[in-house]
Amino acid sequence: MDFGRALLEFWNSTGVMNFSWGQIVMILVGMVLLFLAINKKFEPLLLVPIGFGAILANIPLAEIANYAENGFIGLLYHTGVETGLFPLLIFMGVGAMTDFGPLIANPKTLLLGAAAQFGIFVALLGALALGLTPWIDFNLFDAGSIGIIGGADGPTAIYVTSRLSPNLLGPIAVAAYSYMALVPIIQPPIMRLFTTKSERMIKMEQLRHVTQLEKILFPIAVLVVCIILLPSATPLIGALMLGNLAKESGVVNRLSDTMANAMINIVTIFLGLSVGSKMQADKFLKLETLGILALGLIAFSIGTMTGVLLGKLMNKISRKHPINPLIGAAGVSAVPMAARVANKVGQEENPHKFLLMHA
């Protein structure tokens, strides 16, 4: 009898006996993300840790994503995502990888980033509209956090949401990073729809040589402007500019190399697992989460469209120095995926041109 009771207790403690349908669904979703990353090569650096994190978070009884139970992914999420630390470290690494030379040489392309933010306001208004329904309760802070998904910038979405609506941090982080990773699927059809073949074939040249002094002064000038006009944004902008100054100064190559490689790779692993851990069935399969995912997709699509349309307008006005409208799609951020997609779509029409650094 004791053996039979022990066997029954063992059976009841297995995953087979404790799976819920929701957990099975979310594990399958995690496997789909892994398939897209490994088989289709859709941003594997993001989707592999996110997909695997989703699977780990839905294993019954393991409590891997539970901070209160010292689950290791739960600890990562609390330490780096809830505190806003991971986004700052990611921005530092992005700054160390970015060459702002084409932007300094052609500063009007900065407007393309502004145009792409239309998606943010559409998502904000959409969230407020959903908040008027009896099924979903979104306030203005929630709507602002959801709108940031339209910027297709995961670190920014996490940072803003951690300040405005921490209760929505999980689904917003999942939506933002999922759409960033799915840029190669979402953006190209929109880019082709709103551009002509001749526009996609436009070859852009850097207008002038940008000196090393200009590249060094640029991050300092951006930080000063940010401090004066928008000090609340200085943590993110400051981290970005610190990384860029380290790169362009040329005197701390070991530090800039660490930021651009080892540090950002480590943080990407931790951040991906943390984001994936928020795809737990009991938290993810809710109307609010599905609404956030839908609004994020709409915002991302509209941001891509408006960026491309402004690129078309700027190209018509700037006859002396043509602008390929495809680079407008990178205004949604999604660094560096959107820039790579703009370059890839452009090279499909003209393999001898490169839009990557412009985007």
Side-chain angles (χ1 to χ4, degrees):
M1 291 295 291
D2 289 339
F3 175 76
R5 187 181 301 112
L7 190 61
L8 181 62
E9 289 177 359
F10 169 75
W11 177 247
N12 289 331
S13 68
T14 62
V16 176
M17 287 298 293
N18 290 277
F19 269 117
S20 67
W21 282 107
Q23 288 172 323
I24 294 173
V25 168
M26 295 313 299
I27 286 176
L28 290 175
V29 169
M31 289 182 175
V32 170
L33 296 179
L34 290 177
F35 171 80
L36 292 174
I38 297 170
N39 188 267
K40 299 296 183 181
K41 306 291 191 297
F42 289 158
E43 295 308 324
L45 291 178
L46 280 178
L47 285 190
V48 167
I50 290 176
F52 208 81
I55 294 171
L56 292 176
N58 286 282
I59 297 173
L61 305 179
E63 302 292 347
I64 294 174
N66 190 336
Y67 172 66
E69 298 292 335
N70 291 321
F72 87 94
I73 303 181
L75 293 171
L76 288 175
Y77 181 84
H78 174 76
T79 303
V81 178
E82 287 186 342
T83 61
L85 175 63
F86 287 169
L88 298 176
L89 296 178
I90 289 284
F91 260 50
M92 203 179 295
V94 169
M97 293 190 297
T98 302
D99 178 10
F100 287 108
L103 175 63
I104 299 171
N106 194 9
K108 64 175 177 286
T109 55
L110 182 68
L111 295 173
L112 295 172
Q117 307 314 307
F118 273 91
I120 289 177
F121 297 100
V122 171
L124 185 147
L125 295 174
L128 289 176
L130 284 179
L132 298 176
T133 66
W135 309 286
I136 298 178
D137 181 25
F138 288 146
N139 58 36
L140 183 58
F141 285 169
D142 296 337
S145 300
I146 294 168
I148 295 298
I149 298 172
D153 191 330
T156 303
I158 289 174
Y159 187 82
V160 170
T161 306
S162 68
R163 299 299 183 269
L164 295 182
S165 296
N167 59 305
L168 295 180
L169 193 52
I172 286 177
V174 170
Y177 273 96
S178 295
Y179 293 136
M180 283 177 65
L182 295 176
V183 160
I185 297 177
I186 299 170
Q187 281 199 316
I190 299 172
M191 296 162 71
R192 296 187 186 100
L193 179 64
F194 290 98
T195 57
T196 64
K197 181 180 177 67
S198 60
E199 288 173 333
R200 295 194 293 274
M201 291 182 66
I202 292 174
K203 184 177 181 180
M204 293 180 64
E205 303 287 350
Q206 186 159 318
L207 300 187
R208 65 176 179 84
H209 173 70
V210 178
T211 66
Q212 193 67 24
L213 178 61
E214 288 179 288
K215 291 185 176 183
I216 292 173
L217 292 177
F218 179 77
I220 298 172
V222 169
L223 182 60
V224 170
V225 171
C226 185
I227 291 170
I228 294 171
L229 298 181
L230 199 62
S232 61
T234 49
L236 280 175
I237 300 299
L240 181 72
M241 292 304 134
L242 170 61
N244 190 247
L245 181 61
K247 171 183 181 293
E248 300 298 354
S249 67
V251 295
V252 286
N253 291 334
R254 285 171 54 192
L255 299 185
S256 63
D257 181 67
T258 299
M259 293 176 189
N261 295 284
M263 186 185 74
I264 200 170
N265 288 337
I266 292 170
V267 177
T268 298
I269 295 169
F270 291 166
L271 185 58
L273 286 171
S274 300
V275 170
S277 75
K278 293 294 105 180
M279 298 176 72
Q280 293 167 281
D282 58 335
K283 296 182 176 67
F284 196 81
L285 297 176
K286 300 192 299 186
L287 280 177
E288 287 84 358
T289 304
L290 298 178
I292 289 170
L293 290 172
L295 288 170
L297 179 59
I298 292 170
F300 189 85
S301 301
I302 290 176
T304 301
M305 177 191 73
T306 52
V308 170
L309 290 177
L310 182 60
K312 289 169 67 77
L313 177 62
M314 291 176 66
N315 180 57
K316 291 186 180 298
I317 296 173
S318 179
R319 295 188 179 278
K320 187 176 180 180
H321 302 292
I323 293 174
N324 192 312
L326 293 176
I327 70 171
V332 298
S333 185
V335 179
M337 290 77 82
R340 289 206 298 260
V341 169
N343 187 65
K344 181 175 181 293
V345 174
Q347 286 192 317
E348 288 174 359
E349 305 293 350
N350 182 354
H352 302 293
K353 71 170 186 301
F354 299 93
L355 298 174
L356 185 63
M357 294 315 299
H358 299 282

